[in-house]
Amino acid sequence: MSLTDALRLLLRHWKLLLAVPLALGTTAFLLTRHEKKVYTSETTLYTGIASGYTLKGNAETDFFTTNNAFDNLLNLIKSRETKEEVAYQLLACHLQMKDQLDPALLNWNSLMRLHGLLPAELRRRLTGPTQAATVERVRAYASANDTNELYRLINSFDPVYSVDALGHVNAARIQSSDLIKLDYEAEDPAICRHTLLLTTEVFIGKYRGLRMDQTATVIRYYEAETAKALQVLNAAEERFLAFNRDNNIINYYEQTKYIAGEREGLYADITKIQMQYAAAKARLGAIEQKLAGRNRALLSTDELLQQRRELEQVQAELARQQLYGRLREPAAPADVPRLQARIGELTQTMRTTLNDHYSQLNSVEGIPSKGLIDEWLRNMLETSDNKAKLDVMLRRKQEFMEEYHKMAPLGATLKRIEREIELAQKTYFSLLTSLNDSRASQQNNELTTDLKVVAPPFLPLHAKGGKRLMLVAGGAFGGFFFVATTLLGLGLLDKSLRKPSLVAARTGLPVLGVLPPPAPTPPAPDSYADSALDHLARQVIRRASSQDAPTPYAVGVISTRRGEGKTHLVSSLVARCQRLGLEVVAAYPEGAAPDAQASEYPPVVAAVQRWPLARITQNRPAHLLVVELPALLEDTYPVAPLPELHLLLLAVRSSRVWEPKDGQALQDIRSLTAAPVEAVLTGVEAYESRELLVQHESRPRRPRLRLAFWRRRATA
């Protein structure tokens, strides 16, 4: 569909395009004649979410975190709990006034309206000594059940106290700033302002409580867990202290290190003393073998043995004192010199005893006995000294072994206790760090949840512009748009043969002319119907008046279906040709003749008996023969006269759709005759025939053919 076609379609239905918008606009105007005045107020709050200051410094600009925080805040403002709490407080504030009007909170009409909503007895029961008490009573009564007056009021569509009305509190972030804007509209300007105040107070309190409750719960958890961890740590340290005290441990690792070092030194000393003792003992035995007789017996005297035993005891005590003193164990510092002096005395005493009992100067081998006895005395002193040291060291070795057997299992136990202490300490420090972080987060929440009201709500003095004009204009425009869209849509979906170009494109036949819808009266001169009939008649006469056209000229009028306007086409064509002075004979199927004087023929009999054209037209002389044939797809039509026809006119109704079976019927009829087939579009509106009639009318008109032409042609 072209733009011209669309405009023509809209212009054709201009009455509908005007009537529907006018009706809708008038309806909207009448329905909004009682529109109430509405007042609007707004408030602005600073949140500090995106660029505020916290305990850690300036807030980090995280896009997703910031959007999430603003979404939480806006959803909290729009939540049902916030709306219900605002409704409770608003109603309680108005009930608290009783019959004393406060213009800053509501006007007289709103107060009277409240009295009509709630009975006096219920208002008296809900009103408390203070506003806080009234709020508690209102909240308790509304939540008691779902059948009382207050519950139904809160959940109704009341324009002031319902959750639905408070849902009109709009909250939005101002661009990408830290500001949030709230606006509300109501019929009472005081209620409009007061509702915004209460909404701000309620949602700020809920927001702060929500944030603080989160951190408070976490803090309580960490406090309890930190206390438990501290008890576990203290218990582990007490076990560690008791273990060290019970086992005389000052520093286990230093003690074991010292014992290991002393043991290694002791083992080396033992080896050295054993070697010295073995050497001294061997030398002493050799000397005793060299001494013989009375000299050897001298060594076994009671006095000498007594002195020797005492010497060994003193040497053993000295060795013990020296060893334990080196190991830093308790010992009397004055005992070592005393013992050394006593050893010197005993050595001298033994030397004197040996000298007193000495009776033989030379030995058997010729070595002086005096020298052997002195050497024996030195080796005996060295042997007894080494033996005493060795005995003390062996006892000390045994003590070391006992100490090792004692300290070895203590290390594993002590290690386990230390691991318990370390684990408890780490757990305690971790929980303590988390507790401190949570307390810092709580303090940070106290700072960041302190929303500031930048612009408090104002009391509106002028009503907001009504929506009446917009509704009227919207209704009118919507009606126009709906009708225009519907018409254009139907036009685009229309597949009918509404104009000659579509007929030529879909049927493949040239269009001879168009025929307007039947009218009860003859067409007026120079009208569209008169021009269409004149054009159609001229086209037929032009073909019948050509040099090779036979006389009479036979025209057949066909259609694929009934109701295509064949009879109207034949009668109109005959009337116009007769008006031009031609002799025309028309033949109609039985029951289709427009008047009693018209000629009719039986189609079934003519088809069965193969009537020729002359019999169908009853051999009536004429210049032009017009025969109407029955519908090709629905009736029986005679085939015999088809080869005698000189022109076939296919009548096609403009409101129908051309289908494949119509094309097949046309192919069948064209196979039976050599006459050209042209289409005539019937029932065409004037604006649809312009492409054919204007083109024809733009040509110079031919003079009307007179009867004399046909007479001359017949004579020739």
Side-chain angles (χ1 to χ4, degrees):
M1 179 185 293
S2 63
L3 179 60
T4 304
D5 294 337
L7 293 177
R8 287 176 179 173
L9 180 62
L10 295 179
L11 288 175
R12 187 175 61 170
H13 300 88
W14 66 272
K15 294 181 179 180
L16 186 62
L17 287 172
L18 291 179
V20 173
L22 183 61
L24 291 178
T26 304
T27 303
F29 180 81
L30 294 176
L31 292 177
T32 58
R33 65 183 183 276
H34 300 300
E35 184 182 16
K36 296 180 180 180
K37 294 182 178 180
V38 176
Y39 297 86
T40 303
S41 183
E42 62 183 32
T43 182
T44 305
L45 293 89
Y46 174 76
T47 62
I49 294 176
S51 60
Y53 196 80
T54 64
L55 293 178
K56 298 179 181 179
N58 291 328
E60 298 181 359
T61 56
D62 187 349
F63 177 77
F64 295 102
T65 303
T66 301
N67 282 349
N68 184 37
F70 273 104
D71 289 342
N72 293 336
L73 188 60
L74 295 177
N75 289 329
L76 182 61
I77 297 173
K78 300 176 182 178
S79 65
R80 180 178 177 85
E81 290 75 13
T82 302
K83 299 173 187 175
E84 288 182 349
E85 184 63 26
V86 173
Y88 295 151
Q89 295 195 16
L90 184 63
L91 182 59
C93 181
H94 293 169
L95 290 174
Q96 195 67 24
M97 291 189 303
K98 299 181 181 179
D99 295 333
Q100 298 177 357
L101 180 64
D102 186 356
L105 299 179
L106 77 168
N107 57 28
W108 182 258
N109 293 333
S110 299
L111 183 60
M112 291 299 100
R113 181 178 172 279
L114 175 61
H115 290 176
L117 291 174
L118 300 177
E121 178 61 24
L122 180 59
R123 295 199 306 272
R124 185 187 60 80
R125 288 172 51 192
L126 294 177
T127 304
T130 62
Q131 184 171 345
T134 305
V135 172
E136 291 298 328
R137 292 186 182 184
V138 169
R139 187 184 295 110
Y141 188 81
S143 58
N145 54 69
D146 57 356
T147 59
N148 58 66
E149 301 88 340
L150 198 53
Y151 181 86
R152 291 199 298 268
L153 176 62
I154 296 298
N155 293 277
S156 66
F157 294 99
D158 186 81
V160 177
Y161 305 107
S162 66
V163 173
D164 179 74
L166 295 174
H168 296 138
V169 176
N170 299 317
R173 182 183 180 186
I174 300 178
Q175 297 178 356
S176 59
S177 65
D178 283 336
L179 301 178
I180 289 181
K181 179 182 177 181
L182 282 74
D183 61 84
Y184 182 61
E185 60 181 28
E187 299 176 7
D188 189 340
I191 291 180
C192 180
R193 172 179 173 273
H194 192 208
T195 301
L196 280 180
L197 283 174
L198 292 177
T199 302
T200 303
E201 293 176 0
V202 169
F203 95 80
I204 288 177
K206 285 185 174 293
Y207 179 68
R208 181 176 297 176
L210 183 64
R211 295 286 301 274
M212 298 302 294
D213 287 344
Q214 292 177 349
T215 54
T217 304
V218 174
I219 287 174
R220 287 194 297 270
Y221 167 77
Y222 280 123
E223 285 179 346
E225 293 299 319
T226 302
K228 294 179 183 178
L230 182 59
Q231 292 178 358
V232 173
L233 178 59
N234 291 335
E237 290 179 345
E238 288 295 332
R239 289 197 302 273
F240 181 76
L241 180 61
F243 183 81
N244 288 342
R245 183 177 59 248
D246 295 340
N247 294 279
N248 296 322
I249 297 175
I250 299 175
N251 190 326
Y252 176 80
Y253 301 102
E254 291 295 331
Q255 286 181 246
T256 53
K257 180 179 179 181
Y258 174 76
I259 290 173
E262 289 296 327
R263 187 189 68 170
E264 294 300 326
L266 181 62
Y267 281 2
D269 291 344
I270 288 175
T271 302
K272 179 180 178 181
I273 295 299
Q274 284 178 341
M275 294 173 62
Q276 292 177 358
Y277 174 68
K281 188 175 181 180
R283 288 194 302 270
L284 183 62
I287 293 173
E288 288 179 350
Q289 291 294 330
K290 292 179 180 180
L291 292 176
R294 295 173 56 187
N295 291 329
R296 190 171 183 179
L298 177 63
L299 301 177
S300 303
T301 60
D302 293 338
E303 183 179 4
L304 188 60
L305 291 175
Q306 181 66 29
Q307 292 174 352
R308 186 176 179 179
R309 284 195 295 271
E310 184 179 0
L311 178 62
E312 289 177 354
Q313 291 177 356
V314 174
Q315 286 178 337
E317 181 64 21
L318 178 61
R320 189 183 70 81
Q321 292 289 346
Q322 288 178 343
L323 180 61
Y324 281 86
R326 183 170 60 87
L327 293 175
R328 299 179 181 177
E329 293 188 357
D335 288 347
V336 174
R338 180 180 62 79
L339 293 175
Q340 290 176 347
R342 181 59 181 164
I343 290 173
E345 293 175 358
L346 291 174
T347 302
Q348 185 63 33
T349 301
M350 290 180 68
R351 184 176 285 109
T352 302
T353 301
L354 288 173
N355 290 331
D356 291 342
H357 292 80
Y358 179 71
S359 59
Q360 187 176 356
L361 298 174
N362 297 317
S363 63
V364 179
E365 293 85 358
I367 299 175
S369 299
K370 178 64 174 176
L372 289 175
I373 291 174
D374 291 338
E375 185 177 356
W376 175 86
L377 181 59
R378 287 193 305 272
N379 284 283
M380 186 274 297
L381 291 175
E382 184 179 357
T383 301
S384 62
D385 182 54
N386 290 330
K387 181 177 180 301
K389 290 181 180 180
L390 184 61
D391 291 340
V392 173
M393 287 182 179
L394 291 176
R395 286 197 304 269
R396 187 57 181 168
K397 178 181 178 182
Q398 184 63 30
E399 292 177 359
F400 271 121
M401 294 303 297
E402 293 176 358
E403 190 73 15
Y404 257 72
H405 289 304
K406 176 183 176 182
M407 296 295 288
L410 294 182
T413 305
L414 190 64
K415 190 70 174 179
R416 181 174 59 83
I417 296 176
E418 287 178 348
R419 282 199 304 269
E420 292 178 359
I421 293 176
E422 183 180 4
L423 179 60
Q425 189 177 20
K426 289 182 178 179
T427 304
Y428 173 72
F429 286 153
S430 177
L431 292 172
L432 187 61
T433 302
S434 300
L435 177 60
N436 292 332
D437 293 341
S438 299
R439 287 173 175 170
S441 178
Q442 183 183 38
Q443 187 65 32
N444 188 58
N445 286 337
E446 291 181 359
L447 295 176
T448 56
T449 56
D450 188 15
L451 305 182
K452 303 295 183 182
V453 179
V454 178
F458 58 88
L459 182 66
L461 300 178
H462 303 286
K464 181 182 178 182
K467 300 179 180 179
R468 189 178 190 183
L469 181 61
M470 183 179 65
L471 291 176
V472 172
F477 177 76
F480 179 84
F481 181 77
F482 174 76
V483 174
T485 304
T486 304
L487 291 176
L488 293 176
L490 293 176
L492 290 174
L493 297 176
D494 187 11
K495 302 299 181 182
S496 61
L497 305 172
R498 59 183 181 274
K499 55 184 178 180
S501 59
L502 295 177
V503 176
R506 295 176 185 175
T507 63
L509 299 177
V511 180
L512 183 67
V514 296
L515 191 66
T521 59
D526 297 330
S527 63
Y528 157 65
D530 184 67
S531 299
L533 289 174
D534 189 48
H535 172 265
L536 181 61
R538 287 199 304 270
Q539 294 296 322
V540 173
I541 293 172
R542 185 175 62 184
R543 285 162 176 74
S545 62
S546 61
Q547 294 296 331
D548 55 349
T551 302
Y553 191 80
V555 178
V557 180
I558 61 174
S559 68
T560 58
R561 302 183 187 184
R562 298 172 186 171
E564 299 289 340
K566 296 191 303 294
T567 303
H568 177 59
L569 172 60
V570 172
S571 61
S572 300
L573 181 62
V574 168
R576 182 51 59 101
C577 289
Q578 289 177 348
R579 180 180 172 184
L580 294 175
L582 297 181
E583 293 181 4
V584 182
V585 173
Y588 301 91
E590 286 183 342
D595 51 53
Q597 290 76 20
S599 177
E600 293 184 349
Y601 69 94
V604 177
V605 176
V608 173
Q609 298 181 4
R610 303 179 63 82
W611 284 9
L613 181 62
R615 187 173 180 180
I616 291 177
T617 59
Q618 300 177 5
N619 292 321
R620 296 169 59 185
H623 298 111
L624 183 63
L625 300 178
V626 181
V627 179
E628 178 185 349
L629 298 178
L632 302 180
L633 294 175
E634 299 178 4
D635 298 319
T636 302
Y637 59 90
V639 178
L642 291 177
E644 301 179 51
L645 297 177
H646 305 117
L647 176 65
L648 278 177
L649 298 181
L650 177 65
V652 182
R653 190 176 70 253
S654 62
S655 59
R656 63 163 295 186
V657 178
W658 186 260
E659 296 181 359
K661 57 185 178 181
D662 297 317
Q664 183 62 43
L666 181 61
Q667 292 294 331
D668 294 340
I669 200 69
R670 295 182 71 172
S671 65
L672 299 174
T673 180
V677 182
E678 298 190 28
V680 177
L681 187 62
T682 63
V684 183
E685 299 293 341
Y687 66 91
E688 296 288 5
S689 63
R690 289 181 179 273
E691 61 185 16
L692 183 65
L693 295 183
V694 170
Q695 180 181 1
H696 171 72
E697 292 173 357
S698 62
R699 301 174 182 172
R701 285 180 176 267
R702 287 187 178 184
R704 294 188 174 181
L705 300 177
R706 299 298 180 184
L707 183 58
F709 171 79
W710 292 93
R711 289 177 178 174
R712 288 195 302 269
R713 184 163 184 209
T715 303

